């Protein structure tokens, strides 16, 4: 069901993008831009796990390198650092006795992103790609680290107001879905957009 909804959503987004693009008048003075979007802020991991000491990390960092023509369709690559959660439990009982347990799970997203400007300075983004997952568990005075790969997608709404000629500042609300975990991570970020190149 999730895969069908995801496919329909992307088809709808691409059709909208093509419609906006074809409706745009072309001229010889059309400019193209390569922009770098950077954002940092707070994230909240939505999970059904019920542990008293489970906490979401308050910090997230993401970046987008976007190719932006004068029409409404944009395309680029998104990357970032996404700490999902940490768990610090004291005196956990197990088959091997009682121990303190420290556990953390972090993700590094790498996604293909499509953006559409729906009004001045207001954009929506959808992305599809991979999440590199890194977990660390410490118990019985032993630390174990592991890594895995998961596909997933994102949806974001961004508002950035011009500050200087090549700089915009604003905010973004974003949600990531990681299929391997079957959970969402919601983020609230302060963001900047810098024009690296125009031609």
């Amino acid at each position: 069901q999730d895969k069908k909804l995801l496919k329909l959503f992307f088809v709808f987004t691409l059709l909208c993008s093509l419609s906006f693009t074809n409706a745009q008048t072309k001229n010889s003075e059309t400019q193209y831009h390569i922009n770098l979007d950077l954002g940092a802020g707070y994230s909240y991991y939505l999970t059904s796990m019920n542990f008293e000491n489970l906490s979401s990390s308050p910090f997230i960092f993401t970046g987008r390198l976007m190719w932006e023509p004068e029409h409404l369709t944009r395309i680029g690559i998104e990357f970032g650092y996404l700490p999902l959660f940490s768990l610090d439990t004291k005196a956990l009982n197990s088959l091997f006795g009682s121990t303190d347990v420290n556990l953390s799970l972090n993700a590094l997203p790498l996604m293909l992103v499509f953006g559409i400007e729906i009004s001045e300075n207001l954009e929506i983004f959808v992305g599809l790609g991979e999440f590199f997952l890194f977990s660390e568990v410490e118990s019985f005075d032993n630390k174990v680290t592991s890594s895995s790969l998961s596909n997933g997608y994102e949806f974001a709404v961004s508002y950035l107001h011009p500050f200087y000629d090549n700089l915009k500042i604003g905010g973004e609300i974003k949600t990531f879905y990681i299929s391997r975990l079957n959970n969402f991570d919601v983020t609230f970020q302060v963001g900047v957009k810098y024009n690296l190149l125009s031609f």
Side-chain angles (χ1 to χ4, degrees), residues 57-108:
S57 172
F59 177 79
I60 177 181
F61 165 79
T62 61
R64 281 190 298 259
L65 189 62
M66 300 293 293
W67 178 70
E68 301 186 1
E70 284 299 305
H71 52 69
L72 303 177
T73 311
R74 291 94 191 268
I75 187 170
I77 299 293
E78 178 158 336
F79 53 91
Y81 172 67
L82 181 61
L84 297 174
F85 66 84
S86 61
L87 176 64
D88 185 6
T89 300
K90 305 296 183 183
L92 180 68
N93 293 318
S94 70
L95 294 175
F96 305 100
S98 178
T99 182
D100 296 342
V101 175
N102 296 310
L103 180 145
S104 64
L105 181 63
N106 303 317
L108 300 177

Side-chain angles (χ1 to χ4, degrees), residues 9-198:
F9 183 71
F10 270 91
V11 168
F12 173 77
T13 303
L14 289 174
L15 287 175
C16 287
S17 300
L18 291 173
S19 297
F20 284 130
T21 301
N22 291 332
Q24 197 74 17
T25 303
K26 296 181 179 179
N27 60 72
S28 59
E29 296 182 357
T30 297
Q31 282 195 324
Y32 299 88
H33 308 280
I34 296 177
N35 290 330
L36 178 64
D37 296 1
L38 297 175
Y42 174 83
S43 70
Y44 185 77
Y45 184 62
L46 302 176
T47 177
S48 58
M49 291 189 295
N50 187 21
F51 291 99
E52 211 173 289
N53 297 322
L54 184 72
S55 62
S56 297
S57 172
F59 177 79
I60 177 181
F61 165 79
T62 61
R64 281 190 298 259
L65 189 62
M66 300 293 293
W67 178 70
E68 301 186 1
E70 284 299 305
H71 52 69
L72 303 177
T73 311
R74 291 94 191 268
I75 187 170
I77 299 293
E78 178 158 336
F79 53 91
Y81 172 67
L82 181 61
L84 297 174
F85 66 84
S86 61
L87 176 64
D88 185 6
T89 300
K90 305 296 183 183
L92 180 68
N93 293 318
S94 70
L95 294 175
F96 305 100
S98 178
T99 182
D100 296 342
V101 175
N102 296 310
L103 180 145
S104 64
L105 181 63
N106 303 317
L108 300 177
L110 183 62
M111 317 190 81
L112 178 66
V113 179
F114 297 92
I116 300 175
E117 186 179 38
I118 57 177
S119 66
E120 188 175 8
N121 302 321
L122 183 65
E123 296 176 83
I124 61 172
F125 296 92
V126 291
L128 181 65
E130 299 292 330
F131 291 83
F132 299 90
L133 302 174
F134 300 91
S135 63
E136 184 176 284
V137 181
E138 186 175 357
S139 62
F140 294 102
D141 297 321
N142 185 39
K143 183 181 291 187
V144 178
T145 59
S146 62
S147 61
S148 59
L149 192 64
S150 172
N151 57 16
Y153 59 88
E154 70 159 301
F155 177 78
V157 179
S158 172
Y159 179 83
L160 298 170
H161 189 76
F163 193 69
Y164 286 120
D165 288 343
N166 292 324
L167 183 68
K168 292 184 176 182
I169 298 177
E172 181 170 285
I173 301 174
K174 181 183 316 202
T175 180
F176 293 99
Y177 175 77
I178 304 173
S179 61
R180 188 181 184 90
L181 305 176
N182 196 27
N183 283 320
F184 289 89
D185 192 82
V186 180
T187 74
F188 306 89
Q189 297 185 90
V190 174
V192 297
K193 180 195 291 282
Y194 183 74
N195 178 226
L196 295 175
L197 180 65
S198 296

